[in-house]
Amino acid sequence: MKHTRTLACIAEIARSGSIRRAAERLNIAPSALTRQVQDIEYELGTPIFERLAQGMRLNAAGELLVRHVRDQLADLERVRSQIADLSGVRRGHVALACSQAFVTQVVPEEVQAYRERFPQVGFTVQVRDHVQAVAALTAFEADLALVLQPPPSADLHVLYSCRQPLCALMRAGHPLAREAGPVRLRDCLAHAMALPDRSLAIRLHLEQALARKGVPLGPGVESSSLEFLRNLVLREEAVSLQVPSGIPDDPRLASRQIDARDLDPMVMILGQLRGRLLSVAAAKFADQLTHSLDRRQAGA
């Protein structure tokens, strides 16, 4: 275990880019951390970091070592969880990366339900969009990712997928809220738009559809925060685009699905890093989330 702690320190230096920042995060003296690096390099017979004016950067040998470190730490967490199961007590930790669309209702409800059964399991929930969520898996910063339309990746193993339509979101008194049923995209674009920015998958999906139709996108408000956009449409006659899972149950808000002739549904994926063995806690949470998402989809 002591050797594992040393390896974890190496991984933190690689993540932080400097001895000082890593020491602050680990709450140990920089001199002690420097000695640990020197001991590892002496044991390996080669440097693992490039010393730069701006900090520390892994060299090729260091990249190999850190990949090994992350594998070992993930395996240790899995073994700890399995050992805890031997005594009938479910312990452990689950790290989840998820799109903003799922932090309003889906993820809080699922974490609450899991912790009611296993209160000694801890959670880390990182709000990451499609590209960043997959990167969190490959960096071993997340066990699972729940995202909209992630980019194709050989590293992503899909545990569950379904399609979610995009909805026009507006305040209840908006002119478009007077009718029910699907709404055409051109009718939405006739109003001021409050849209996710290009860091979010929803915006990329919209722009691809508009490009195919040769329709320009007029001026409006854009943000990387779906919560901000929901609050904005409550204050002015604007229309936003969000998926049903991200729309809260709020009588002040109204939503209508965008007509499928204008915008295809988006793909929602629950995935993990391909080839990685999840801890018992993470695997059990993945099972719970898969079954719940399936029920939610069936009831939509």
Side-chain angles (χ1 to χ4, degrees):
M1 296 298 179
K2 183 178 179 180
H3 186 60
T4 302
R5 286 196 295 271
T6 300
L7 294 178
C9 290
I10 300 297
E12 182 57 45
I13 296 170
R15 186 180 301 112
S16 302
S18 83
I19 291 281
R20 180 185 56 80
R21 286 194 294 270
E24 289 174 354
R25 293 183 183 182
L26 295 168
N27 197 28
I28 62 177
S31 58
L33 199 51
T34 299
R35 283 195 300 272
Q36 291 188 38
V37 173
Q38 292 170 343
D39 290 344
I40 285 287
E41 290 181 328
Y42 178 79
E43 185 178 340
L44 293 173
T46 183
I48 58 173
F49 285 101
E50 296 177 19
R51 274 70 171 177
L52 307 172
Q54 298 82 9
M56 309 270 283
R57 184 174 64 193
L58 290 170
N59 60 20
E63 293 282 359
L64 289 173
L65 177 64
V66 167
R67 192 173 303 129
H68 166 75
V69 168
R70 288 170 174 163
D71 287 340
Q72 293 299 307
L73 294 177
D75 283 345
L76 179 60
E77 179 60 29
R78 177 175 55 85
V79 171
R80 280 176 172 160
S81 186
Q82 290 173 337
I83 290 172
D85 267 9
L86 293 176
S87 62
V89 179
R90 187 65 47 77
R91 300 176 185 269
H93 187 269
V94 181
L96 174 68
C98 68
S99 296
Q100 288 185 57
F102 309 117
V103 299
T104 302
Q105 291 175 281
V106 175
V107 171
E109 290 172 1
E110 294 304 320
V111 170
Q112 177 194 10
Y114 191 88
R115 283 177 51 79
E116 285 177 351
R117 296 166 59 207
F118 309 114
Q120 297 188 70
V121 172
F123 276 81
T124 299
V125 177
Q126 309 167 39
V127 181
R128 305 276 187 94
D129 208 64
H130 53 311
V131 176
Q132 295 84 3
V134 176
L137 291 178
T138 58
F140 284 74
E141 294 173 359
D143 304 310
L144 301 166
L146 180 62
V147 287
L148 285 172
Q149 215 114 322
S153 172
D155 294 323
L156 181 64
H157 173 60
V158 176
L159 301 172
Y160 177 83
S161 69
C162 67
R163 295 166 72 81
Q164 289 237 322
L166 270 173
C167 293
L169 180 69
M170 71 288 292
R171 66 182 180 184
H174 193 280
L176 291 181
R178 295 169 188 164
E179 298 182 22
V183 60
R184 297 303 299 263
L185 185 57
R186 63 173 176 266
D187 295 329
C188 297
L189 295 175
H191 297 269
M193 299 298 291
L195 295 174
D197 69 17
R198 290 180 177 175
S199 68
L200 303 183
I202 292 174
R203 176 63 173 271
L204 298 179
H205 190 67
L206 171 64
E207 289 187 344
Q208 289 168 0
L210 292 178
R212 288 193 296 269
K213 295 177 178 292
V215 177
L217 188 60
V221 176
E222 62 179 48
S223 174
S224 61
S225 168
L226 297 184
E227 182 180 7
F228 166 79
L229 296 173
R230 288 195 295 269
N231 280 288
L232 183 66
V233 300
L234 288 171
R235 289 166 169 80
E236 64 173 79
E237 296 289 310
V239 178
S240 188
L241 294 182
Q242 300 194 15
V243 293
S245 294
I247 299 175
D249 186 13
D250 187 334
R252 300 173 300 166
L253 291 170
S255 66
R256 295 173 62 187
Q257 288 189 17
I258 301 294
D259 195 301
R261 290 172 292 180
D262 300 325
L263 272 178
D264 293 329
M266 298 187 72
V267 178
M268 175 178 69
I269 283 178
L270 173 65
Q272 69 169 89
L273 182 64
R274 186 177 301 279
R276 180 177 179 182
L277 292 174
L278 295 176
S279 68
V280 173
K284 292 293 185 183
F285 182 70
D287 288 341
Q288 173 191 301
L289 192 50
T290 296
H291 292 130
S292 178
L293 291 172
D294 205 31
R295 289 194 303 271
R296 291 171 187 266
Q297 189 70 8

